[in-house]
Amino acid sequence: LYFRRVYDALRKAKLVITTTEFMQKVVSSRIGHNRVATVPNGVDNEFYSKCFEVRKSCVDERAVFLGDLNFRYHRLEVFIHALKVVRNQGTDLKLRVIGEGVLLPKLKSLAKKLELENAIEFLGYVKRAELPQKLGCGLFGIVGRPDRDNPWIVNTMRMTTLEYLSCGLPVLAYGPANSYTQYFIQKNRVGVYVASNRAEDVATGILQLMKMINEDPRTVYRCRSVASLYEW
């Protein structure tokens, strides 16, 4: 019902702006006109330069998540279960969670249940000025979405993806198949995309990404280079 009203409003607009080419096609087909343009989300590369400098010399085996924990939309619990899988297989990966919200206590409870308290660091809210240091020491960034065939999930991309890349952080993403996020990551070779919300599948993706980072040191610089194309 909500999106029906959104489409009604867009039909009357002289110009509609979307953030991805995929979404441009979807919106245009739904509203019946071509007055739709794409202006990608951008990133403040100058701000994240400090983060990039930290990442270039970083050796911390730690994944990082940045986001609002008021929404299950991020499916962070999937990654936590996947972390348990890879650690059981002998990979000493840790996780740093930056963000606060109503889901934070539930995620902490899950970490305790899975006996991952020593492997997961929950920082809560972090001031913007402190983000470069907190993100820069990470190995890669996490972007999760529900594995649902929903056009607003499939055809858009979290702006945080560009913030990770600006830091030089490759991206581990998971969600629906044939999504814009999958297209973006694979086209630019800046990470691994897992078309699933199954912890076992995500665990396999984690190991693939860690291998990619270890075998190709240029990955960090490629991430920053791609982010520079989206300077806001």
Side-chain angles (χ1 to χ4, degrees), residues 6 13-14 30 34 38 50 53-54 65 67-68 106 111 117 121 126 132 136 140 147 149 164 175 181-182 202 216:
V6 170
K14 292 182 179 180
R30 290 290 182 93
N34 293 317
T38 297
K50 298 177 182 177
E53 291 302 316
V54 172
F65 169 87
D68 187 340
K106 295 180 180 179
E117 301 105 307
E121 180 183 24
V126 172
F140 60 85
D147 182 11
D149 187 20
Y164 290 147
T181 303
Q182 179 178 7
V202 174
D216 185 4

Side-chain angles (χ1 to χ4, degrees), residues 38-155:
T38 297
V39 179
N41 281 322
V43 61
D44 185 353
N45 283 295
E46 181 178 356
F47 174 78
Y48 287 106
S49 292
K50 298 177 182 177
C51 188
F52 180 55
E53 291 302 316
V54 172
R55 179 61 186 85
K56 285 193 295 184
S57 58
C58 177
V59 293
D60 194 0
E61 296 288 302
R62 185 187 303 273
V64 292
F65 169 87
L66 172 64
D68 187 340
L69 296 179
N70 285 304
F71 305 100
R72 288 198 62 201
Y73 183 84
H74 300 304
R75 299 308 308 269
L76 184 56
E77 73 280 2
V78 172
F79 186 89
I80 292 176
H81 280 285
L83 179 64
K84 179 67 173 181
V85 174
V86 298
R87 288 181 65 85
N88 283 345
Q89 294 174 352
T91 299
D92 189 24
L93 179 69
K94 296 183 179 180
L95 170 64
R96 170 173 287 166
V97 178
I98 303 172
E100 64 180 3
V102 296
L103 294 178
L104 185 55
K106 295 180 180 179
L107 293 171
K108 288 182 177 179
S109 177
L110 176 61
K112 183 176 181 179
K113 178 182 177 181
L114 296 177
E115 299 180 338
L116 292 173
E117 301 105 307
N118 296 328
I120 303 178
E121 180 183 24
F122 293 97
L123 296 186
Y125 172 77
V126 172
K127 293 181 180 179
R128 179 173 168 80
E130 299 173 3
L131 277 180
Q133 185 64 37
K134 301 301 183 182
L135 285 173
C137 66
L139 187 63
F140 60 85
I142 304 164
V143 176
R145 283 188 159 181
D147 182 11
R148 294 170 49 198
D149 187 20
N150 177 300
W152 294 83
I153 294 174
V154 172
N155 297 299

Side-chain angles (χ1 to χ4, degrees), residues 40-45 48 143 157-169 171 184 223 226-228 230-231:
N41 281 322
V43 61
D44 185 353
N45 283 295
Y48 287 106
V143 176
M157 185 175 75
R158 281 193 66 204
M159 189 172 71
T160 310
T161 304
L162 297 177
E163 294 175 316
Y164 290 147
L165 296 181
S166 188
C167 287
L169 295 177
V171 178
F184 182 90
C223 290
V226 170
S228 69
Y230 293 87
E231 174 62 56

